[in-house]
Amino acid sequence: MSGGQLHSGNLGAIIAGVILLGLGGVACLMASLFIANMRNGAKARELAAQARSEARQRMSASRVQDLRPLLDAAPDCQGIRLDIQLPAEAVPVLAIEAELRELLAKVTDYAASVMRAGATLQVRAHAEGTQAVIHWRDLDAVDVRPPLARFFDTAQAAIAGASAKACERIAGHHGGRIYSAPDAGGVLGLTLRLPLLADERAH
Protein backbone atom coordinates (compact mmCIF):
# COMPACT_ATOMS: atom_id res chain seq x y z
CA MET A 1 0.00 0.00 0.00
CA SER A 2 1.41 3.36 -0.99
CA GLY A 3 1.86 6.25 1.40
CA GLY A 4 -0.94 8.19 -0.30
CA GLN A 5 -3.35 5.33 0.07
CA LEU A 6 -2.37 4.91 3.75
CA HIS A 7 -2.83 8.60 4.41
CA SER A 8 -6.19 8.57 2.63
CA GLY A 9 -7.30 5.54 4.63
CA ASN A 10 -6.30 7.15 7.93
CA LEU A 11 -8.09 10.37 7.00
CA GLY A 12 -11.22 8.43 6.11
CA ALA A 13 -11.07 6.61 9.43
CA ILE A 14 -10.65 9.88 11.30
CA ILE A 15 -13.59 11.45 9.47
CA ALA A 16 -15.74 8.39 10.14
CA GLY A 17 -14.77 8.53 13.82
CA VAL A 18 -15.63 12.21 14.04
CA ILE A 19 -18.99 11.54 12.38
CA LEU A 20 -19.72 8.69 14.77
CA LEU A 21 -18.77 10.84 17.76
CA GLY A 22 -21.01 13.60 16.46
CA LEU A 23 -23.91 11.21 15.99
CA GLY A 24 -23.31 9.82 19.45
CA GLY A 25 -23.33 13.34 20.90
CA VAL A 26 -26.56 14.15 19.09
CA ALA A 27 -28.13 10.93 20.34
CA CYS A 28 -27.05 11.69 23.91
CA LEU A 29 -28.39 15.24 23.62
CA MET A 30 -31.72 14.01 22.28
CA ALA A 31 -31.95 11.42 25.04
CA SER A 32 -31.22 14.02 27.72
CA LEU A 33 -33.80 16.40 26.22
CA PHE A 34 -36.36 13.60 26.12
CA ILE A 35 -35.73 12.75 29.77
CA ALA A 36 -35.85 16.44 30.74
CA ASN A 37 -39.15 16.88 28.88
CA MET A 38 -40.59 13.85 30.62
CA ARG A 39 -39.52 15.21 34.01
CA ASN A 40 -40.87 18.68 33.20
CA GLY A 41 -44.14 17.18 32.01
CA ALA A 42 -44.48 15.13 35.18
CA LYS A 43 -43.68 18.20 37.29
CA ALA A 44 -46.23 20.29 35.37
CA ARG A 45 -48.90 17.62 35.88
CA GLU A 46 -48.02 17.45 39.57
CA LEU A 47 -48.29 21.24 39.94
CA ALA A 48 -51.56 21.30 38.00
CA ALA A 49 -53.01 18.57 40.22
CA GLN A 50 -51.84 20.47 43.31
CA ALA A 51 -53.44 23.68 42.01
CA ARG A 52 -56.72 21.86 41.35
CA SER A 53 -56.63 20.35 44.83
CA GLU A 54 -55.98 23.73 46.42
CA ALA A 55 -58.77 25.29 44.36
CA ARG A 56 -61.20 22.60 45.53
CA GLN A 57 -60.13 23.15 49.13
CA ARG A 58 -60.62 26.90 48.77
CA MET A 59 -64.05 26.41 47.22
CA SER A 60 -65.13 24.12 50.05
CA ALA A 61 -63.86 26.66 52.61
CA SER A 62 -65.55 29.62 50.89
CA ARG A 63 -68.88 30.96 52.07
CA VAL A 64 -71.25 33.68 50.89
CA GLN A 65 -70.07 36.92 52.49
CA ASP A 66 -71.88 40.26 52.47
CA LEU A 67 -69.19 42.94 52.24
CA ARG A 68 -71.20 45.44 54.29
CA PRO A 69 -70.80 43.92 57.79
CA LEU A 70 -67.14 43.16 57.09
CA LEU A 71 -66.49 46.82 56.28
CA ASP A 72 -68.79 48.16 58.99
CA ALA A 73 -66.82 46.21 61.58
CA ALA A 74 -63.54 47.88 60.58
CA PRO A 75 -61.62 48.97 63.69
CA ASP A 76 -60.79 52.61 64.36
CA CYS A 77 -57.50 53.63 62.79
CA GLN A 78 -54.89 55.41 64.83
CA GLY A 79 -54.45 58.92 63.46
CA ILE A 80 -57.01 58.91 60.63
CA ARG A 81 -60.80 59.00 60.35
CA LEU A 82 -62.97 56.49 58.52
CA ASP A 83 -65.91 57.41 56.30
CA ILE A 84 -67.61 54.12 55.42
CA GLN A 85 -70.32 54.30 52.76
CA LEU A 86 -72.43 51.16 52.31
CA PRO A 87 -75.43 50.50 50.05
CA ALA A 88 -78.84 49.46 51.32
CA GLU A 89 -78.66 46.23 49.32
CA ALA A 90 -76.36 43.33 50.14
CA VAL A 91 -73.06 43.05 48.26
CA PRO A 92 -72.49 39.27 48.35
CA VAL A 93 -69.33 37.49 47.27
CA LEU A 94 -68.08 33.92 47.64
CA ALA A 95 -65.01 34.19 49.84
CA ILE A 96 -63.05 32.89 52.80
CA GLU A 97 -63.97 35.35 55.53
CA ALA A 98 -60.63 35.28 57.33
CA GLU A 99 -58.71 36.06 54.12
CA LEU A 100 -61.10 38.85 53.14
CA ARG A 101 -60.75 40.39 56.60
CA GLU A 102 -56.97 40.11 56.27
CA LEU A 103 -57.03 42.00 52.96
CA LEU A 104 -59.26 44.76 54.37
CA ALA A 105 -57.07 45.09 57.46
CA LYS A 106 -53.86 45.32 55.44
CA VAL A 107 -55.24 48.09 53.22
CA THR A 108 -56.51 50.02 56.25
CA ASP A 109 -53.21 49.61 58.10
CA TYR A 110 -51.30 50.84 55.06
CA ALA A 111 -53.61 53.85 54.72
CA ALA A 112 -53.06 54.74 58.37
CA SER A 113 -49.29 54.54 57.87
CA VAL A 114 -49.10 56.87 54.86
CA MET A 115 -52.01 59.31 55.20
CA ARG A 116 -51.70 62.62 56.99
CA ALA A 117 -52.76 62.61 60.65
CA GLY A 118 -56.41 63.57 60.94
CA ALA A 119 -57.15 62.84 57.27
CA THR A 120 -60.27 60.90 56.29
CA LEU A 121 -60.17 57.53 54.55
CA GLN A 122 -63.38 56.99 52.61
CA VAL A 123 -64.35 53.34 52.11
CA ARG A 124 -67.16 52.86 49.62
CA ALA A 125 -68.74 49.52 48.66
CA HIS A 126 -71.23 48.93 45.87
CA ALA A 127 -72.31 46.48 43.20
CA GLU A 128 -71.32 47.32 39.64
CA GLY A 129 -72.63 45.01 36.96
CA THR A 130 -71.33 41.53 37.76
CA GLN A 131 -68.75 42.78 40.25
CA ALA A 132 -68.64 43.75 43.89
CA VAL A 133 -66.47 46.83 44.31
CA ILE A 134 -64.71 48.39 47.28
CA HIS A 135 -62.88 51.68 46.81
CA TRP A 136 -60.58 53.41 49.29
CA ARG A 137 -59.88 57.13 48.85
CA ASP A 138 -58.01 59.75 50.86
CA LEU A 139 -60.56 62.59 50.99
CA ASP A 140 -57.89 65.08 52.07
CA ALA A 141 -55.34 64.19 49.41
CA VAL A 142 -54.05 67.01 47.22
CA ASP A 143 -51.67 65.05 44.99
CA VAL A 144 -52.97 63.47 41.79
CA ARG A 145 -51.31 60.25 42.94
CA PRO A 146 -51.41 60.34 46.75
CA PRO A 147 -49.49 57.89 48.96
CA LEU A 148 -52.59 55.70 49.40
CA ALA A 149 -52.65 54.97 45.65
CA ARG A 150 -48.98 53.92 45.68
CA PHE A 151 -49.68 50.70 47.57
CA PHE A 152 -48.33 48.62 44.69
CA ASP A 153 -45.47 50.90 43.61
CA THR A 154 -42.02 49.35 43.86
CA ALA A 155 -40.83 52.53 45.59
CA GLN A 156 -43.18 51.67 48.48
CA ALA A 157 -41.86 48.13 48.85
CA ALA A 158 -40.14 48.90 52.15
CA ILE A 159 -43.47 50.02 53.64
CA ALA A 160 -46.05 47.92 51.86
CA GLY A 161 -44.24 45.20 49.87
CA ALA A 162 -45.41 42.09 51.74
CA SER A 163 -48.88 43.49 52.45
CA ALA A 164 -49.43 44.54 48.84
CA LYS A 165 -48.42 41.11 47.54
CA ALA A 166 -50.66 39.40 50.11
CA CYS A 167 -53.62 41.55 49.03
CA GLU A 168 -53.00 40.78 45.35
CA ARG A 169 -52.74 37.07 46.16
CA ILE A 170 -55.97 37.04 48.20
CA ALA A 171 -57.87 38.99 45.54
CA GLY A 172 -56.58 36.63 42.84
CA HIS A 173 -57.57 33.55 44.84
CA HIS A 174 -61.13 34.91 44.96
CA GLY A 175 -61.29 35.59 41.25
CA GLY A 176 -60.77 39.34 41.60
CA ARG A 177 -58.08 41.97 41.59
CA ILE A 178 -56.96 44.99 43.57
CA TYR A 179 -55.25 47.96 41.92
CA SER A 180 -54.82 51.74 41.94
CA ALA A 181 -57.71 53.60 40.32
CA PRO A 182 -59.81 56.78 40.66
CA ASP A 183 -63.44 56.69 41.75
CA ALA A 184 -66.28 59.14 41.18
CA GLY A 185 -63.96 61.67 39.63
CA GLY A 186 -61.70 61.89 42.66
CA VAL A 187 -57.97 61.43 43.04
CA LEU A 188 -56.40 58.00 42.69
CA GLY A 189 -57.19 55.50 45.39
CA LEU A 190 -57.37 51.72 45.66
CA THR A 191 -60.07 49.53 44.13
CA LEU A 192 -60.91 45.91 44.90
CA ARG A 193 -63.14 44.03 42.47
CA LEU A 194 -64.60 40.60 43.20
CA PRO A 195 -67.19 38.48 41.38
CA LEU A 196 -70.67 39.45 42.58
CA LEU A 197 -73.14 36.70 43.47
CA ALA A 198 -76.10 38.20 41.67
CA ASP A 199 -78.57 35.44 42.67
CA GLU A 200 -77.76 35.91 46.34
CA ARG A 201 -78.21 39.65 45.97
CA ALA A 202 -81.63 39.14 44.42
CA HIS A 203 -82.71 37.17 47.49
Side-chain angles (χ1 to χ4, degrees):
M1 181 180 293
S2 66
Q5 290 176 327
L6 182 61
H7 177 73
S8 177
N10 289 339
L11 182 59
I14 292 172
I15 293 174
V18 170
I19 292 174
L20 288 174
L21 287 174
L23 290 174
V26 170
C28 290
L29 178 61
M30 291 180 65
S32 63
L33 289 174
F34 178 73
I35 294 171
N37 286 336
M38 288 186 61
R39 288 176 177 172
N40 290 338
K43 184 64 175 179
R45 288 191 293 273
E46 180 183 343
L47 292 175
Q50 183 179 347
R52 288 193 295 270
S53 175
E54 290 177 355
R56 286 193 294 268
Q57 291 175 3
R58 297 185 64 80
M59 284 297 295
S60 65
S62 297
R63 300 289 183 273
V64 177
Q65 308 288 341
D66 182 358
L67 293 180
R68 297 176 303 167
L70 296 179
L71 291 170
D72 206 26
D76 293 335
C77 297
Q78 187 69 30
I80 64 172
R81 299 185 179 92
L82 288 178
D83 173 27
I84 300 176
Q85 298 187 0
L86 305 173
E89 302 85 7
V91 187
V93 297
L94 186 64
I96 298 175
E97 182 179 353
E99 292 191 0
L100 206 52
R101 287 188 182 277
E102 179 186 353
L103 184 153
L104 299 176
K106 286 184 181 301
V107 172
T108 305
D109 289 345
Y110 171 74
S113 70
V114 297
M115 288 172 56
R116 179 175 55 81
T120 300
L121 174 65
Q122 183 185 79
V123 186
R124 190 168 78 92
H126 64 282
E128 184 179 295
T130 60
Q131 295 181 321
V133 181
I134 302 175
H135 185 76
W136 295 265
R137 179 171 60 166
D138 181 354
L139 293 182
D140 300 290
V142 293
D143 296 338
V144 175
R145 189 178 179 81
L148 176 63
R150 301 174 198 159
F151 192 36
F152 304 106
D153 289 4
T154 54
Q156 294 289 95
I159 300 175
S163 291
K165 290 183 183 302
C167 289
E168 288 181 317
R169 184 175 62 254
I170 292 171
H173 283 166
H174 290 83
R177 62 191 184 113
I178 182 170
Y179 57 99
S180 299
D183 182 67
V187 298
L188 280 175
L190 297 174
T191 294
L192 169 67
R193 291 181 178 272
L194 297 170
L196 179 70
L197 295 182
D199 292 341
E200 292 289 338
R201 188 166 184 256
H203 294 307

